[in-house]
Amino acid sequence: MTAPLPAEFVARVRTELGTEADALFAALEGESPVSVRWNPYKTILPPSGEEVPWNRYGRYLPERPYFTADPMFHAGTYYVQEASSMFVEHLLRSAMEPEGARILDMCAAPGGKSTLYATLAGAEGLVVANEVVRSRAATLADNIRKWGIGNVLVSNNDPSHFAGLPEWFDVVAVDAPCSGEGMFRKSEEARREWSEAAVEMCAARQRRILADAWKALRPGGIMIYSTCTFNRTEDEDNIAWLARNFDCEDAGVEVPEEWNIAISEAEGIRCFRFWPHRTKGEGFFAASIRKCGQKGRTVRPKARRTIFTDLTRKETAEAARWTGQPELMRFARIGDTVYGYYYINYADIRCIGEYLNVIYSGVCMGQLFNGSLKPDHSLAMFHDMYPYAATTSALPIESAIRYLAKEELTADMFAEGMNIVTFQGHALGWAKRIGRRVNNLYPKQLAIINK
Ligand code: SAM
């Protein structure tokens, strides 16, 4: 890395860490560990590797593979996520049972934590993954589709818009935009862009996001605040500010000593900091806070428009034959596209979907033409797509890579009509054979460029 660590940062850390500071600086010039989190909805086989202690789905890899050339990555069987940030699983599980929870991830792109929350919430839960920056929200939606659980709604709203959903969520996560000191090892840009003024600016913005997010959390619910920076201004000071201004208490999370996580306290709330020279992961800060008080009356937000329409019985039957457990699902149309939702959270999704600016929700099934469904890529990515709804074409590695690069494929590998393309039993997308021609239906925007 050519950019040096910012001088003010070095001076501050020396004061805070004393003799330990040099170990941190050395770690920040070293290699980042590589870790992935596997998707239990798509595979029962975790990748081999050392376990990440604070996350049951996390594994360290001995070296960085070229993920782009691994079809299993594109099938959504794992997410490449740095290990420290997987700690939010421990924070949540220690404070409550996440299964079936309504979770708002306020700063969600590109989706590392949202895919984790979706895994923890399960089919009976609902994750609202929100991202204020439109282009980043599109990437978030791609990652949510690929993860394929079907329990996520992706919105593109400013945090202030959640004022219309007061006390709605059991969990609200604020993984705040920050000055990124924890990224100094990975990113030269983070080193160059850092300044003391940026720290102050980020801290003020974080407090605004926290205040908006707080309103959306129900009493008794859990707020998870995290940053990837080390300074107290954006970390402990903001937690202290939250504790002074809102009725809350520590969520009671304990961590074993051998994890080497530094623990501090801000107005009675325990805070957890990952230093890269002590733990195997990037710099990370997190705290978990319980909201006190009595729950008020649940307010249904006023719909800004009607976007969901019902399907006919025949159309429902056609949609249903593409899913493994249609009895758990409810189908609806938005515009000319059919979506599938778990029955249990359809009413919530409908309510939120007609209030927020939603760019994706549930499972995009496809479009109906003369009563037949033309399946969407998202349906192929859905973990519970009915595997016999179309012919399966299992490709060997070279052809799978060609498919993912959206290149031409020989007709002999496909049956006439629509094929679900798989690699080692995992769906990658659709291809349609018409005579000797094969239409590679892999989405253009996802096609891999450097094989
Ligand atoms: N949670 C994500 C994950 O695990 O993949 C990473 C989130 S990143 C640390 C912070 C996100 O906050 C960015 O995607 C950024 O676009 C978004 N953001 C920026 N300004 C914001 C604001 N004023 N309010 C809410 N989010 C903002």
Side-chain angles (χ1 to χ4, degrees), residues 103-115:
I103 303 179
L104 167 61
D105 189 359
M106 188 63 106
C107 312
K113 296 187 191 62
S114 293
T115 51

Side-chain angles (χ1 to χ4, degrees), residues 248-379:
C248 60
E249 63 187 15
D250 182 68
V253 175
E254 298 292 338
V255 294
E257 215 171 292
E258 63 267 24
W259 290 359
N260 275 329
I261 300 168
I263 302 176
S264 58
E265 216 191 272
E267 298 279 337
I269 311 283
R270 277 152 63 88
C271 303
F272 304 93
R273 180 173 280 103
F274 288 67
W275 292 105
H277 61 291
R278 290 198 202 164
T279 45
K280 204 169 163 184
E282 300 303 337
F284 187 63
F285 169 90
S288 165
I289 306 125
R290 193 181 303 279
K291 185 170 181 172
C292 300
Q294 290 294 313
K295 184 156 171 41
R297 206 165 46 89
T298 304
V299 181
R300 291 223 153 241
K302 207 167 154 37
R304 291 190 295 152
R305 58 202 180 281
T306 304
I307 56 168
F308 291 84
T309 53
D310 290 336
L311 302 188
T312 63
R313 270 181 175 219
K314 248 180 142 177
E315 289 170 334
T316 302
E318 169 61 6
R321 81 177 179 85
W322 292 82
T323 61
Q325 296 173 89
E327 67 282 7
L328 298 184
M329 303 205 59
R330 159 99 201 225
F331 303 96
R333 197 185 257 110
I334 302 178
D336 58 2
T337 304
V338 176
Y339 285 79
Y341 302 99
Y342 292 114
Y343 233 109
I344 196 154
N345 51 39
Y346 176 68
D348 283 353
I349 289 194
R350 188 171 177 150
C351 188
I352 300 173
E354 294 184 342
Y355 172 70
L356 292 176
N357 183 29
V358 173
I359 61 170
Y360 186 76
S361 58
V363 184
C364 177
M365 304 285 297
Q367 291 172 341
L368 289 163
F369 293 97
N370 299 324
S372 299
L373 188 81
K374 178 173 179 264
D376 188 87
H377 179 69
S378 314
L379 177 56

Side-chain angles (χ1 to χ4, degrees), residues 79 105 107-113 131-133 136 159 175-177 205 209:
Y79 192 99
D105 189 359
C107 312
K113 296 187 191 62
E131 169 57 45
V132 69
V133 179
R136 290 178 59 82
D175 188 34
R205 181 168 58 188
I209 300 173

Side-chain angles (χ1 to χ4, degrees), residues 108-111 114 129-131 136-145 154-155:
S114 293
N130 179 66
E131 169 57 45
R136 290 178 59 82
T139 309
L140 169 65
D142 286 342
N143 284 330
I144 293 299
R145 276 187 203 101
V154 179
S155 62

